[in-house]
Amino acid sequence: VILMDLEMPGMDGVEATGRIREAEKNGDYRTPIIALTAHALKNVHERLLDQGFDGYVSKPMNTNTLLTEIRRSLRMPDKSLEPAPVSSISDPQTVDKEKLGNLLLKMELLLKQNNMSVLDSIGDLSKLLPDSHLFDSIVRQIRQFDCVAALLTIESICNEFEIDR
């Protein structure tokens, strides 16, 4: 995904997008381009789509709005905000609840800040939650920038393993 500012020195975002679209004509891939602009006029969005943009976000931008537009531009499914179903781990007593609780707290703080360095915690989480579809759910949610759903999944994990937060 390219986040394209419309007002740049030398070449504006519309011209840059036009050049990218021209270069893509012979290929079989289209790079999603989202326009970023301070112009929030009613007809701007439609005009930008006609000029080759896949999406539009006005400035100042809200992180959730940007992430929603990225998901839409990538044609990612809009996942429900429901927490993941209860895990099928055969023996939850074998999980180190203290380590899991500390890791989930760290992940929760990063998710609340929309800080995608939370991806760095996935390896540690996989060691603590082997063979869990809760792990699969939270990884999918984080990779899709769905911080709200990931937070709900963390809550489900804490409830399942009786971890106080």
Side-chain angles (χ1 to χ4, degrees), residues 44-84:
V44 170
H45 186 230
E46 195 171 298
R47 190 182 79 223
L48 291 170
L49 294 176
D50 290 340
Q51 292 173 326
F53 290 90
D54 297 287
Y56 162 88
V57 176
S58 61
K59 296 187 269 183
M61 67 184 147
N62 172 296
T63 303
N64 289 333
T65 302
L66 176 61
L67 294 176
T68 298
E69 191 66 3
I70 289 171
R71 272 197 299 281
R72 193 195 61 70
S73 294
L74 290 172
R75 294 177 177 82
M76 296 173 109
D78 188 16
K79 297 295 179 184
S80 158
L81 298 180
E82 294 297 314

Side-chain angles (χ1 to χ4, degrees), residues 20-138:
I20 292 169
R21 295 296 180 231
E22 186 65 33
E24 291 175 334
K25 278 187 177 180
N26 296 330
D28 56 352
Y29 182 77
R30 178 183 168 100
T31 303
I33 303 175
I34 298 173
L36 302 178
T37 181
H39 303 291
L41 301 174
K42 193 173 188 177
N43 64 347
V44 170
H45 186 230
E46 195 171 298
R47 190 182 79 223
L48 291 170
L49 294 176
D50 290 340
Q51 292 173 326
F53 290 90
D54 297 287
Y56 162 88
V57 176
S58 61
K59 296 187 269 183
M61 67 184 147
N62 172 296
T63 303
N64 289 333
T65 302
L66 176 61
L67 294 176
T68 298
E69 191 66 3
I70 289 171
R71 272 197 299 281
R72 193 195 61 70
S73 294
L74 290 172
R75 294 177 177 82
M76 296 173 109
D78 188 16
K79 297 295 179 184
S80 158
L81 298 180
E82 294 297 314
V86 176
S87 174
S88 59
I89 294 176
S90 56
D91 188 8
Q93 277 68 31
T94 62
V95 174
D96 184 334
K97 290 182 183 181
E98 184 177 349
K99 280 186 181 178
L100 181 59
N102 290 335
L103 180 61
L104 292 174
L105 178 62
K106 174 185 165 189
M107 292 176 72
E108 186 175 40
L109 293 172
L110 292 170
L111 287 165
K112 285 180 179 177
Q113 299 168 357
N114 293 316
N115 184 334
M116 295 318 292
S117 67
V118 70
L119 286 166
D120 298 338
S121 304
I122 290 176
D124 294 332
L125 187 61
S126 72
K127 293 173 189 166
L128 293 169
L129 290 178
D131 304 319
S132 168
H133 68 275
L134 284 173
F135 171 75
D136 295 336
S137 294
I138 198 165

